[in-house]
């Protein structure tokens, strides 16, 4: 008979009132009221919480007034054995630094307290030997090689992406997407994931495998069927490139293809087929419009932003497509102005080294920058088009 499982619940160690008093003295004597970030350190030296404030000292001292078992600040402080802090040049810089530290350390209390205020859907191009397209709920999906969104109307995005997959013949399944190191043990009731391959690339294996059970797309002719060795590898990858261009807002080829197919079905009096294609076209055209809107918003977030820091110091942030590429002191001499212009040319001229999509790790920064200017229209007035050699 199997031994019963014993689960031990170990309470994480907490600080004593005397220790918290020492921390308060440390803050009172050492921290200034300037913009900055702070890290709460747990008993083993790991960062358990990262925060930021425009007035760091006031913010940190507020933790010591927090009371109650459920109070967020009081709970964090009970587990903080040490506090570290650093100053930033501006409040905007503090927000950026906080975001980057959270991504670096993934502190326990920050992850616990993240609450999505609205459901999101991202359109992901998945990697692996055979690219596919899928809707994922999070911006850190491990299988996504490129991510677009988020979009709010999750159900409609799902339908549109299925229509897009059907229009392009690309897969939208999970087969082979899980990297081997992370493959979880699968329950017996689930089909085994089959490796994807094309008969044109491995003719000796053609016909030796069967399709994953439960997928009708190949039967219906809406997926090339790489899982059964069907389809042509070159044509499939060409279509994957087209799909990427569509999601980058550089091509409307799937819309045009569907329009042509619908017209052909209508001319052939295949009205049922024309109706199916019309519905698919409406969804793909809607997604195309959302994608264009998304990229227009990204491109709008390209500028030089001058922000004021403590002591009326001025700082320039160079923002390209929603991510901050440099932070420098505002020039006060002709030589400093010349250096800034050269830096701007390097950052803003030529194709974006990041490519047309926003790397998944930069999406959060894009939303931080967008929300900063949305909530502070006066700060938006302190942005200007970047200097380039064409200016
Ligand atoms: S036919 Fe095969 S490759 Fe295509 S979606 Fe279905 S399981 Fe995936």
């Amino acid at each position: 008979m199997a031994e019963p499982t014993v689960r031990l619940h170990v309470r994480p160690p907490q600080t004593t009132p005397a220790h918290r008093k020492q921390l308060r003295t440390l803050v009172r004597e050492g921290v200034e009221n300037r913009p900055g970030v702070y890290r709460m350190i747990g008993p083993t030296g790991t960062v358990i919480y990262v925060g930021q404030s425009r007035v760091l000292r006031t913010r940190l001292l507020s933790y010591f007034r927090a009371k109650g078992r459920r109070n967020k600040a009081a709970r964090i402080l009970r587990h903080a054995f040490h506090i570290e802090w650093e100053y930033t040049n501006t409040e905007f810089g503090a927000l950026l630094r906080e975001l980057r530290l959270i991504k670096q350390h993934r502190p326990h209390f920050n992850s616990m307290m993240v609450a999505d205020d609205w459901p999101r859907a991202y359109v992901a191009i998945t990697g692996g030997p055979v690219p596919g397209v899928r809707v994922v709920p999070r911006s850190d999906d491990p299988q996504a090689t490129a991510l677009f969104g988020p979009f709010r109307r999750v159900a409609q995005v799902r339908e549109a992406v299925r229509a897009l997959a059907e229009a392009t013949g690309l897969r939208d399944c999970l087969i082979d997407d899980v990297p081997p190191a992370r493959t979880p043990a699968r329950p017996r009731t689930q089909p085994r994931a089959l490796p994807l391959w094309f008969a044109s690339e491995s003719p000796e294996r053609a016909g030796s495998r069967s399709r994953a059970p439960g997928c009708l797309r190949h039967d219906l002719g809406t997926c090339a069927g790489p899982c059964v060795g069907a389809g042509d590898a070159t044509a499939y990858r060409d279509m994957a490139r087209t799909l990427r261009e569509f999601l980058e807002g550089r091509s409307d080829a799937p819309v045009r293809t569907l329009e042509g197919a619908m017209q052909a079905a209508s001319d052939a009096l295949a009205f049922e087929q024309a109706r199916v294609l019309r519905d698919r076209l409406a969804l793909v055209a809607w997604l195309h419009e959302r994608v264009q809107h998304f990229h227009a918003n990204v491109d709008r977030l390209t500028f030089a932003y001058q922000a004021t820091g403590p002591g009326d110091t001025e700082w320039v942030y160079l923002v390209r497509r929603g991510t901050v590429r440099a932070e420098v002191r505002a020039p006060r001499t002709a030589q400093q102005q010349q250096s800034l212009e050269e830096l701007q040319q390097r950052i803003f001229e030529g194709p974006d080294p990041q490519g047309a999509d926003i790397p998944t790790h930069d999406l959060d920064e894009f939303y931080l920058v967008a929300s900063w200017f949305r909530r502070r229209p006066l700060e938006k007035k302190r942005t200007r088009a970047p200097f380039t050699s064409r200016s």
Side-chain angles (χ1 to χ4, degrees):
M1 205 172 92
E3 291 285 320
T5 310
V6 179
R7 290 183 199 281
L8 284 177
H9 178 69
V10 182
R11 268 172 77 110
Q14 299 194 0
T15 51
T16 60
H19 191 94
R20 292 198 282 276
K21 206 169 164 186
Q22 281 177 7
L23 285 179
R24 190 176 56 190
T25 308
L26 182 80
V27 170
R28 265 205 185 130
E29 293 177 356
V31 185
E32 297 171 33
N33 249 348
R34 290 164 49 190
V37 290
Y38 55 91
R39 294 179 284 269
M40 301 286 190
I41 313 293
T44 57
T46 51
V47 179
I48 59 168
Y49 185 71
V50 171
Q52 64 77 32
S53 177
R54 188 170 50 84
V55 281
L56 201 52
R57 184 174 190 272
T58 306
R59 175 71 188 113
L60 280 173
L61 286 176
S62 73
Y63 277 86
F64 298 94
R65 292 191 294 275
K67 298 260 181 297
R69 294 210 64 74
R70 289 177 170 271
N71 182 285
K72 168 188 161 184
R75 281 173 61 207
I76 293 171
L77 194 64
R78 276 199 297 275
H79 295 91
F81 282 72
H82 188 54
I83 300 175
E84 294 174 348
W85 63 90
E86 62 186 88
Y87 302 112
T88 55
N89 298 321
T90 62
E91 185 187 356
F92 181 68
L95 277 165
L96 268 182
R97 181 75 181 136
E98 180 198 34
L99 177 73
R100 290 172 181 178
L101 283 173
I102 290 172
K103 283 175 168 293
Q104 181 186 342
H105 296 290
R106 299 187 174 272
H108 171 71
F109 282 102
N110 289 91
S111 347
M112 268 180 63
M113 287 156 186
V114 169
D116 270 350
D117 46 358
W118 45 272
R120 298 173 176 188
Y122 298 86
V123 181
I125 296 181
T126 52
V130 183
V133 60
R134 237 191 13 253
V135 174
V136 296
R138 296 169 58 107
S139 63
D140 57 356
D141 188 275
Q143 274 80 51
T145 56
L147 212 57
F148 304 87
F151 302 100
R152 282 180 186 241
R153 294 158 75 173
V154 178
Q156 192 161 353
V157 173
R158 283 191 190 287
E159 282 183 38
V161 168
R162 169 48 72 99
L164 183 63
E166 288 173 343
T168 54
L170 297 186
R171 70 190 184 98
D172 58 357
C173 59
L174 290 165
I175 294 181
D176 261 15
D177 273 359
V178 182
R182 294 187 182 207
T183 304
R186 285 170 186 276
R188 276 193 198 147
T189 48
Q190 283 194 4
R192 188 169 59 88
L194 302 176
L196 288 146
W197 49 275
F198 290 98
S200 56
E201 290 183 338
S202 312
E204 72 287 354
R205 295 167 68 194
S208 66
R209 291 185 181 277
S210 60
R211 176 171 55 78
C215 182
L216 292 174
R217 285 197 52 205
H218 189 231
D219 291 345
L220 296 172
T222 62
C223 176
C227 63
V228 284
D232 175 74
T234 309
Y236 189 95
R237 288 180 188 129
D238 280 350
M239 193 46 87
R241 239 188 322 277
T242 302
L243 175 114
R244 192 183 178 104
E245 287 170 5
F246 174 85
L247 291 172
E248 288 174 351
R250 294 190 288 127
S251 162
D252 62 354
V255 176
R256 300 281 150 256
T257 308
L258 279 169
E259 282 172 349
M262 189 178 73
Q263 189 58 51
S266 181
D267 292 347
L269 306 182
F271 296 119
E272 182 58 21
Q273 172 71 356
R275 192 185 60 74
V276 169
L277 289 168
R278 184 201 61 199
D279 293 346
R280 206 176 278 168
L281 173 62
L283 286 163
V284 173
W286 174 81
L287 185 61
H288 181 57
E289 191 241 302
R290 298 316 305 154
V291 162
Q292 298 276 42
H293 184 70
F294 170 72
H295 287 288
N297 281 342
V298 171
D299 288 338
R300 265 199 287 275
L301 287 179
T302 295
F303 43 66
Y305 164 48
Q306 186 156 333
T308 306
D312 286 338
T313 51
E314 294 291 326
W315 299 86
V316 177
Y317 293 86
L318 302 180
V319 182
R320 184 167 185 181
R321 305 187 73 244
T323 55
V324 177
R325 313 292 172 101
E327 173 186 359
V328 291
R329 188 89 191 246
R332 281 162 296 170
T333 64
Q335 196 185 1
Q336 289 170 349
Q337 177 65 31
Q338 171 75 20
S339 311
L340 177 62
E341 287 172 6
E342 283 166 13
L343 179 64
Q344 293 195 33
Q345 280 174 28
R346 282 202 298 280
I347 287 178
F348 293 109
E349 287 195 351
D352 189 348
Q354 287 185 355
D357 58 313
I358 301 182
T360 53
H361 57 270
D362 280 344
L363 266 175
D364 292 327
E365 187 164 314
F366 165 73
Y367 292 114
L368 183 148
V369 173
S371 115
W372 171 266
F373 290 105
R374 195 172 53 246
R375 291 180 188 170
R376 294 169 181 79
L378 287 179
E379 293 300 301
K380 188 80 175 82
K381 291 189 175 155
R382 306 198 70 194
T383 62
R384 57 181 167 69
F387 173 90
T388 61
S389 56
R390 293 186 301 277
S391 302

